[in-house]
């Protein structure tokens, strides 16, 4: 979970297999005011399933009601469930990000980006942006069956107007 990070609303199909009415009512009351979750009584069109069974919440993909995506959550710990759903919502937002605008890191741009790779002697070596390309190939090294390497980015605003940006680190498992 990342504070103040944007979210994508989730369509959640809620199934109460325990028939524990009080937990279902409490959950629906707490979720009804949240901008990132909408509970559905039907599976069609949902993003995920939320199943209450054996006193635990299980979050699964729409097509697979058996295997949980995250560790099951005790039914008494609704705050943890809500935090988990918010984290999934943030991941969904990142997963669906698309940039259809032109690439701003081209020649004659007001924004300049430099990328550096740390060499074995701990010095930094610049990685040039290939002409007419918008990607940078990072030559990571394989050492002891593990890929490694450190990169550094420098953004320079050559224009007159402020440029606002943020750096988002996604781990190899794409966790936000």
């Amino acid at each position: 979970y990342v504070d103040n990070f944007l979210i994508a609303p989730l369509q959640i199909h809620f199934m109460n297999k325990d028939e524990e009415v009080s937990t279902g009512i409490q959950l629906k009351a707490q979720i009804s005011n949240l901008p990132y979750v909408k509970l559905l009584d039907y599976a069609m069109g949902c993003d995920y399933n939320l199943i209450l069974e054996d006193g635990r919440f299980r979050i699964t993909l729409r097509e697979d009601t058996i295997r949980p995506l995250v560790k099951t959550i005790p039914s008494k710990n609704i705050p943890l469930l809500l935090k988990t759903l918010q984290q999934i919502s943030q991941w969904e937002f990142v997963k669906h990000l698309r940039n259809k605008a032109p690439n701003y890191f081209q020649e004659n741009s007001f924004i300049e980006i430099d990328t550096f790779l740390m060499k074995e002697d701990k010095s930094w070596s610049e990685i040039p942006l290939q002409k007419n390309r918008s990607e940078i190939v990072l030559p990571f090294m394989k050492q002891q069956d593990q890929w490694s390497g450190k990169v550094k980015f420098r953004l320079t605003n050559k224009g007159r107007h402020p440029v606002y940006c943020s750096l988002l680190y996604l781990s190899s498992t794409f966790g936000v």
Side-chain angles (χ1 to χ4, degrees):
Y1 166 71
V2 181
D3 280 331
N4 299 320
F5 195 72
L6 296 174
I7 54 177
L10 300 176
Q11 305 280 339
I12 304 286
H13 176 219
F14 178 59
M15 292 183 274
N16 189 348
K17 292 187 175 184
D18 277 357
E19 299 301 326
E20 191 177 316
V21 177
S22 63
T23 302
I25 292 171
Q26 184 182 1
L27 174 68
K28 287 181 181 185
Q30 290 189 32
I31 283 184
S32 66
N33 297 323
L34 299 177
Y36 54 89
V37 176
K38 180 179 179 189
L39 284 183
L40 304 174
D41 293 324
Y42 47 87
M44 192 166 165
C46 75
D47 300 311
Y48 297 95
N49 294 304
L50 175 60
I51 302 161
L52 175 58
E53 185 173 34
D54 297 328
R56 301 189 71 79
F57 288 111
R58 184 173 69 239
I59 301 170
T60 69
L61 293 173
R62 173 183 43 204
E63 306 85 17
D64 183 358
T65 60
I66 304 299
R67 293 179 293 179
L69 292 175
V70 295
K71 186 177 177 181
T72 60
I73 300 166
S75 64
K76 302 295 181 211
N77 199 347
I78 290 179
L80 177 60
L81 173 67
L82 298 180
K83 192 170 193 156
T84 303
L85 290 173
Q86 185 173 17
Q87 188 172 7
I88 292 171
S89 173
Q90 289 178 332
W91 164 240
E92 284 288 331
F93 177 80
V94 170
K95 186 173 91 172
H96 291 100
L97 283 176
R98 299 288 181 267
N99 185 4
K100 295 178 182 170
N103 183 348
Y104 294 104
F105 302 115
Q106 295 177 354
E107 286 185 47
N108 303 323
S109 172
F110 290 110
I111 301 169
E112 183 178 283
I113 185 168
D114 298 305
T115 309
F116 302 89
L117 180 71
M118 183 182 278
K119 298 191 295 188
E120 289 182 28
D121 65 358
K122 307 285 188 214
S123 65
W124 293 98
S125 164
E126 185 170 359
I127 303 171
L129 181 64
Q130 296 175 1
K131 195 170 182 105
N132 299 326
R133 304 264 323 257
S134 61
E135 63 189 37
I136 297 169
V137 178
L138 300 174
F140 288 116
M141 300 167 280
K142 193 170 189 177
Q143 297 172 337
Q144 300 170 358
D145 291 330
Q146 295 252 331
W147 289 98
S148 66
K150 291 186 179 183
V151 292
K152 178 169 68 171
F153 298 97
R154 179 176 57 209
L155 230 66
T156 306
N157 179 7
K158 300 187 298 183
R160 295 187 335 238
H161 302 287
V163 174
Y164 301 97
C165 64
S166 63
L167 181 65
L168 175 65
Y169 170 75
L170 296 177
S171 68
S172 60
T173 58
F174 302 104
V176 176

